[in-house]
Amino acid sequence: MIDARILPLQRAALQPVAEFLAHRGIGADQISLTGFVAGFGAFIALCFGQWPVALSLILLNRLLDGLDGAVARIAGPTDRGAYLDIAFDMVFYALIPLGFALQAPETHALPAAVLIVSFVGTGSSFLAFSAVAAKLGRKAADFPTKGIYYAGGLAEGFETIAVFIAMCLFPAKFSLIAYGFAALCIVTTVIRWRQGWVAFSDAEH
């Protein structure tokens, strides 16, 4: 919901670090891979109830997710980089609730499953919209430097990470947080379905 508003601030904050890494030959794909490893580490930590470790690795994953794009803008963006960025993100988002589910399946399995299904809705509606928009040559005005078309919604990257942080800080409230955010994701999915219905209706004529 607010990703487009905080994007300029994020770029300004990460630019000095990105220049430092780029000038030392560290590529965006390397950063993406390292970020995914950190995200997988967060999943393992969650499975064992290591909330502070998981939180630290989630934040590291997000930091590296921002840095890979900043480095790519310096060295030159690639199709592979855009692909890796979104592919790794989708798996990372599913791993976090799965970690909670495996840590306490008797209480967390169902809300985690509901949340993951809601992520399938937001992710599939996002990617489907992007695929058709790319075919039609359309660009997202709010995200001009992204490798694919970004369709907005109530539940975007910032909100998702805020929820993951809240889950790590208050693990006893996982079920309540998961169900609440799943509802927001469902609303986002329906909004994107409508956006696609309206945006692409003229493409048939």
Side-chain angles (χ1 to χ4, degrees):
M1 186 166 54
I2 66 172
D3 281 13
R5 296 183 179 89
I6 66 173
L7 195 58
L9 297 176
Q10 175 185 307
R11 288 182 191 157
L14 295 179
Q15 189 64 23
V17 182
E19 291 176 357
F20 176 86
L21 295 175
H23 293 157
R24 281 155 183 78
I26 299 176
D29 291 351
Q30 294 172 272
I31 298 173
S32 296
L33 287 166
T34 304
F36 181 75
V37 171
F40 191 82
F43 161 70
I44 298 298
L46 289 171
C47 290
F48 291 97
Q50 299 299 312
W51 317 124
V53 176
L55 176 57
S56 298
L57 290 171
I58 288 171
L59 294 175
L60 178 60
N61 170 275
R62 291 298 87 195
L63 172 64
L64 294 174
D65 182 68
L67 275 175
D68 62 5
V71 170
R73 285 189 291 274
I74 295 171
T78 65
D79 291 335
R80 184 177 68 181
Y83 168 78
L84 290 176
D85 182 57
I86 193 66
F88 287 163
D89 276 356
M90 292 297 174
V91 176
F92 165 74
Y93 288 143
L95 283 174
I96 301 307
L98 179 60
F100 279 96
L102 294 177
Q103 187 271 331
E106 65 283 354
T107 56
H108 292 166
L110 181 58
V114 171
L115 183 58
I116 291 172
V117 169
S118 75
F119 284 171
V120 172
T122 56
S124 61
S125 60
F126 170 86
L127 291 174
F129 194 102
S130 299
V132 178
K135 177 183 175 183
L136 298 175
R138 298 184 183 180
K139 299 290 184 180
D142 290 338
F143 302 94
T145 62
K146 293 292 187 178
I148 63 175
Y149 191 105
Y150 266 54
L154 296 177
E156 297 179 345
F158 178 84
E159 291 79 16
T160 304
I161 300 310
V163 164
F164 287 170
I165 291 172
M167 289 174 173
C168 291
L169 292 176
F170 310 102
K173 301 293 185 181
F174 171 78
S175 296
L176 179 63
I177 297 170
Y179 283 133
F181 194 60
L184 194 63
C185 288
I186 292 169
V187 173
T188 296
T189 300
V190 173
I191 289 173
R192 286 180 177 159
W193 284 347
R194 184 182 182 281
Q195 286 175 337
W197 181 280
V198 173
F200 303 134
S201 60
D202 58 346
E204 299 179 359
H205 302 292

